[in-house]
Amino acid sequence: MATASAAAKSEQKSPIVLGKGKKSRPTYSTRVFKKSSPNGKVTAYVGRRDFFDDGHKVDVVDGVVLVDPEYIQKAEGRKVFGQLSSWLSFGKGDNVYDADYVASFKKDLLNLTVQIYPPNNDQPPRTRLQERLIRKLGEHAYPFQFQIPSCLAASVSLNKVDADDRSKPGGVEYLLQTFAGQSATAKIGKRNSVPLAIKKLTALDASLQKEQPQTDTKKSFWGSSYPVNVEARLDRYMYYHGDPVTVHINVDNRSNKTIKSITITIKQLSEVVIFKEKTKCVVTTISSECGFPINPSSHLSQSFSIVPSLSDCKVGRVRQWWI
């Protein structure tokens, strides 16, 4: 996602070699995200920050926490917990002295807490990543797992229109925290907690492709007895980020006008249901004169390729960032 919490900016990406092998054999390594609490007593390890929903299930959020045994035993009853939370936020709410101040809105969508240390007896089976991490980190490393419900929305960020607005964009966010405390409901302190911003993404199977979208329209001109017929068809129904969108165009100019060029625009439509707000954003636009002009009583069949990207987005009233 385009935004992340301030605490997540200091994360360390440490390539930890988890495989074993001799010099004659290749040694395989797995990149693991590592982040420690400010006091250095709690360290979290996760294999990734993006978790995908394929329409049937969501990837398991798994990781390992390395704790300092002296720190845990120093205070009686101190434990280590893991928390996965999600919320929907919208509005400013950061500067109450701003004349355009709008009260911020925040709605909790998910709040799951598990006890990591001391471990419970009813723990789920360890994943392969957890087994390798525990084998490398030692006996003071403890696993944790979370399952994100598939009914929850994917991570998305809604950016404000005003370029000078420095308040945090709204949207759906996910946060994974590990912390030390007396109980799961205790206030989470900054010195003994590890926050990690994660994302829930949608990855639909390519086999779910439907029929190729197509449409047609007619344009009439004053003084012309016949219109211009335009047919447009996409090469497929579903696209992934970075895929070129191929548009097949058929233009039948039956009017007495000359068509000089064509413009193709990709727009993104979004709706914040809770606020009953619909927005439209122009993602990218291309204009072409290839094969033109089309004289009266002439026909043109041509294909155009366009690649949408976030950097080409034009700011609308509210812009939904691609993730």
Side-chain angles (χ1 to χ4, degrees), residues 128-187:
R128 184 170 178 268
L129 173 68
Q130 291 175 331
E131 291 284 359
R132 299 174 68 187
L133 280 171
I134 293 174
R135 187 165 55 245
K136 184 167 185 70
L137 298 175
E139 59 180 353
H140 300 300
Y142 302 93
F144 65 88
Q145 292 185 26
F146 289 98
Q147 183 65 59
I148 303 176
S150 58
C151 60
L152 289 184
S155 301
V156 66
S157 180
L158 297 172
N159 192 22
K160 313 308 191 292
V161 153
D162 189 0
D164 297 330
D165 186 1
R166 300 183 181 275
S167 62
K168 187 177 179 181
V172 178
E173 301 180 60
Y174 288 84
L175 181 66
L176 173 65
Q177 287 192 100
T178 55
F179 61 95
Q182 299 293 332
S183 65
T185 57
K187 183 179 179 180

Side-chain angles (χ1 to χ4, degrees), residues 51-117:
F51 301 89
F52 291 90
D53 181 2
D54 62 0
H56 302 286
K57 63 178 181 178
V58 186
D59 294 337
V60 176
V61 181
D62 60 334
V64 167
V65 174
L66 181 64
V67 300
D68 186 343
E70 296 182 359
Y71 172 74
I72 298 299
Q73 298 171 4
K74 190 175 181 180
E76 184 178 356
R78 181 175 288 168
K79 302 176 183 179
V80 178
F81 301 92
Q83 184 182 82
L84 177 62
S85 56
S86 174
W87 62 89
L88 166 67
S89 60
F90 194 78
K92 297 183 180 180
D94 293 335
N95 184 8
V96 296
Y97 300 103
D98 188 357
D100 298 327
Y101 169 77
V102 178
S104 61
F105 172 86
K106 182 177 179 180
K107 179 178 178 60
D108 292 331
L109 304 177
L110 178 69
N111 196 336
L112 301 176
T113 304
V114 297
Q115 180 176 309
I116 302 175
Y117 175 85

Side-chain angles (χ1 to χ4, degrees), residues 219-269:
K219 175 67 175 178
S220 300
F221 298 95
W222 184 83
S224 177
S225 302
Y226 300 97
V228 176
N229 298 324
V230 180
E231 296 180 358
R233 176 174 52 87
L234 300 181
D235 57 337
R236 50 196 169 105
Y237 173 78
M238 186 186 306
Y239 296 89
Y240 293 97
H241 293 289
D243 291 350
V245 179
T246 303
V247 186
H248 305 281
I249 302 293
N250 293 321
V251 181
D252 184 13
N253 187 10
R254 302 174 59 193
S255 68
N256 57 6
K257 304 291 183 180
T258 300
I259 304 174
K260 299 181 180 180
S261 64
I262 188 171
T263 300
I264 301 175
T265 301
I266 293 182
K267 297 180 180 181
Q268 185 182 49
L269 306 179

